[in-house]
Amino acid sequence: MEKILKHLSTLILLFLLVSGIIILYQTPAEKPAPVALSELVAEINQGQVKSIVVQNSDLEIELEDGKKQQASKEPESSLTETLANYGIDKEKLKNVSITVKEDSGAGFWLATILPFLLPFILIGAFIWFMMRQAQRGNSQALSFGTSRARMLDPKDKKKRVMFADVAGAEETKNELEEVVEFLKHPKKFLNMGAKIPKGVLLLGPPGTGKTLMAKAVAGEAGVPFFNISGSEFVEMFVGVGASRVRDLFKQAKKNAPSIVFIDEIDAVGRHRGAGLGGGHDEREQTLNQILVEMDGFETDMSVIVIAATNRPDVLDPALLRPGRFDRRVTMDLPDINEREQILVIHSKNKPLGTDVKLRAIAERTPGFSGADLANLLNEGAILATRRNKKTVGMSELTESIEKVILGPERRGRVINKNEKEIIAYHEGGHALVGASLLYADPVQKVSIISRGHAGGYTLSVPLEDKSLHSHKYFLDELAMFLGGYASEKMVFGDTTTGPSSDLERATQMARAMVTRYGMSRLGARTFGKKDEVVFMGREMREDRDYSEKTAQDIDTEVSHLIDEALKRATDILTQRRAVLDTLASTLLDKETIEKEAFDAIVGKIPAEEASV
């Protein structure tokens, strides 16, 4: 409707413009005075007329003094005959310049016929615009089922990604090298009787570079890369997703050898029969079409489907069977060496200061994904720009780590003196308990500057990457979590809402120790099985494979672990109350304590005393 009104207003403006041109064309700048033929004859006889222009029956008269006049003669007679009837002096008439002007074809059409045709032209133009809109709507309806995939041309070197552009993930690259070889030399494998793998499933946490790795495979192989998200298949109308799948694979086969990349495939590849929709559910229809297309590949068709997801547990088993996604490649979070390589790549276009040590940044960022590291360097560059610096220094990058983990600083947040003292003792309690335990992660920084929702924070980072955690580590971490709670209760004789997140994390860790890791007095077994119900992407229930008595024993054991951890934290803080007071007073004075200053205050704890 808005387009129709827009075109209608355009037509009205066009009509007004043409009408104005006609009016200007037909109306002279100075309107001549009308005179009768008898007056004209008298003026000619008196020698006042300079020239006469005759156009049909109209007379344009110019006097000797420059004035303009107009008159009309009899249509059926000439000007000379008309003037002779009024008694013209023929000698005087000879002194007048008489010009006969014929009508031009353009002037005739413009002045006579166009005013009658203009309404019909406008109506015809309006009908034409309406028909054009209708045709456009029909074409959109016909293209509703076409694929929305974006194709990256392998010849476009600016957008091409190679394995060298992806830092780390060497095992993943080695796995995908075979896929590149299949795409480059398919006949070599076919002659050996080997079938081209139809699908590669990239698994891993968010931000680990699954999409980037898929682009690198296409760049290394030099083949077209069709990129689409799983959610782009699904529409309100049943059958549209399946139609788009057919069109996508049709384009991929036409450009073979090629790669089809489906990001977030769990949007359409979730387990069927989960109770959402019936047999005609649009998502299931789309999934069925993907399965059929992957099965329908000819053995010599060099089209490989690469899909990415961070939820492999919800995928339909039919997708994961051999013949569909033959390869499953896991992309884990980068280790310390890979983090350093990622930082090197993302810092290429950023002027780093001489004090920047990327290895130190990599050591302080365990658990960071590639996307987190890229965001860290970007935040550092933004911070350096705001400080009007020409290079990104180590201080900006260190602060960016905390910003990525906890959020931006909130120095403008007003905190009264009493609350500030509570926060100082709370964070001091965390840090002192952590530094007094042998297996807890070492403390890197303590601050009472508010970040995000936290009033303060204690940054503890392991010295090296860990994939396995021991029972002793969990016990020490539990005590460290409860160090802030114990400190508040011991110093002020009361507790606040500050430790709420610490208590939640401690409870989750203690319950995991009991129900998942077998690290309790209940024995070496697990309790409960999480049943994934596909509804809004959430876990809806837990299958309890134990009795009510066992459930009570689990709660008792969780409480026992937390009580023991709280007792350990309280004992440490009681024994080292003087150090706690020093930490709190230093935090109130400086707001932040870095690792070197913290170690100087706390001192080195002997190993035999570090497990109180």
Side-chain angles (χ1 to χ4, degrees), residues 115-131:
F116 296 99
L117 291 180
L118 188 59
F120 296 99
I121 293 174
L122 293 176
I123 293 172
F126 180 73
I127 295 174
W128 179 77
F129 276 121
M130 294 290 291
M131 294 294 293

Side-chain angles (χ1 to χ4, degrees), residues 185-196 299-301:
H185 311 290
K187 291 184 179 180
K188 181 172 70 173
F189 292 91
L190 292 173
N191 294 336
M192 191 62 66
K195 293 182 179 180
I196 296 175
T299 55
D300 59 345
M301 185 63 68

Side-chain angles (χ1 to χ4, degrees), residues 472-491:
K472 294 179 179 179
Y473 170 80
F474 284 129
L475 292 177
D476 286 0
E477 283 293 300
L478 277 177
M480 184 177 180
F481 285 158
L482 297 172
Y485 179 89
S487 178
E488 288 186 22
K489 195 170 184 179
M490 182 182 72
V491 175

Side-chain angles (χ1 to χ4, degrees), residues 1 41 48 65 77 86 93 131 149 154 220 226 229 243 402 426 454 506 514 532 544 546 552 583 593:
M1 188 63 184
V41 171
Q48 298 178 2
D65 58 2
S77 60
Y86 283 89
L93 184 60
M131 294 294 293
E220 291 287 339
F226 293 88
S229 173
S243 176
E402 299 157 20
H426 179 99
V514 176
E532 179 71 29
R544 290 179 55 171
Y546 49 86
Q552 186 176 357
L583 279 175
I593 303 176

Side-chain angles (χ1 to χ4, degrees), residues 196-201 272 287-288 290-297 304-305 316-327:
I196 296 175
K198 296 178 180 179
V200 177
L201 187 62
R272 291 172 291 182
L287 174 58
N288 291 337
I290 292 175
L291 299 177
V292 171
E293 290 291 341
M294 293 187 70
D295 264 349
F297 282 179
I304 293 180
V305 183
D316 192 276
L319 268 177
L320 304 177
R321 74 159 176 81
R324 299 274 174 52
F325 284 98
D326 304 272
R327 303 288 177 90

Side-chain angles (χ1 to χ4, degrees), residues 207-262:
T208 49
K210 298 184 290 295
T211 302
L212 188 64
M213 186 63 74
K215 289 183 180 180
V217 173
E220 291 287 339
V223 298
F225 180 80
F226 293 88
N227 179 22
I228 192 170
S229 173
S231 60
E232 294 182 63
F233 289 116
V234 182
E235 290 284 352
M236 180 177 64
F237 304 105
V238 175
V240 173
S243 176
R244 290 179 178 176
V245 170
R246 287 191 294 269
D247 186 66
L248 170 62
F249 283 98
K250 181 180 178 181
Q251 294 180 35
K253 292 175 184 178
K254 188 183 298 183
N255 293 275
S258 61
I259 288 178
V260 174
F261 177 64
I262 305 176

Side-chain angles (χ1 to χ4, degrees), residues 546-567:
Y546 49 86
S547 64
E548 289 296 330
K549 182 181 182 306
T550 304
Q552 186 176 357
D553 293 339
I554 292 173
D555 291 338
T556 302
E557 188 63 19
V558 170
S559 298
H560 172 73
L561 289 173
I562 292 177
D563 291 341
E564 286 294 319
L566 180 59
K567 182 178 182 303

Side-chain angles (χ1 to χ4, degrees), residues 383-440:
L383 187 59
T385 304
R386 291 174 58 188
R387 293 176 177 175
N388 296 320
K389 297 178 66 175
K390 294 184 179 180
T391 59
V392 182
M394 193 68 177
S395 60
E396 284 80 25
L397 294 179
T398 304
E399 187 171 339
S400 297
I401 295 175
E402 299 157 20
K403 187 174 182 180
V404 172
I405 297 175
L406 301 168
E409 283 187 354
R410 299 171 60 192
R411 288 185 177 270
R413 181 181 176 185
V414 179
I415 302 176
N416 61 49
K417 184 178 180 181
N418 184 41
E419 287 188 358
K420 197 171 184 180
E421 185 178 5
I422 293 174
I423 294 172
Y425 272 99
H426 179 99
E427 298 303 331
H430 280 306
L432 182 57
V433 172
S436 303
L437 296 173
L438 182 62
Y439 299 99

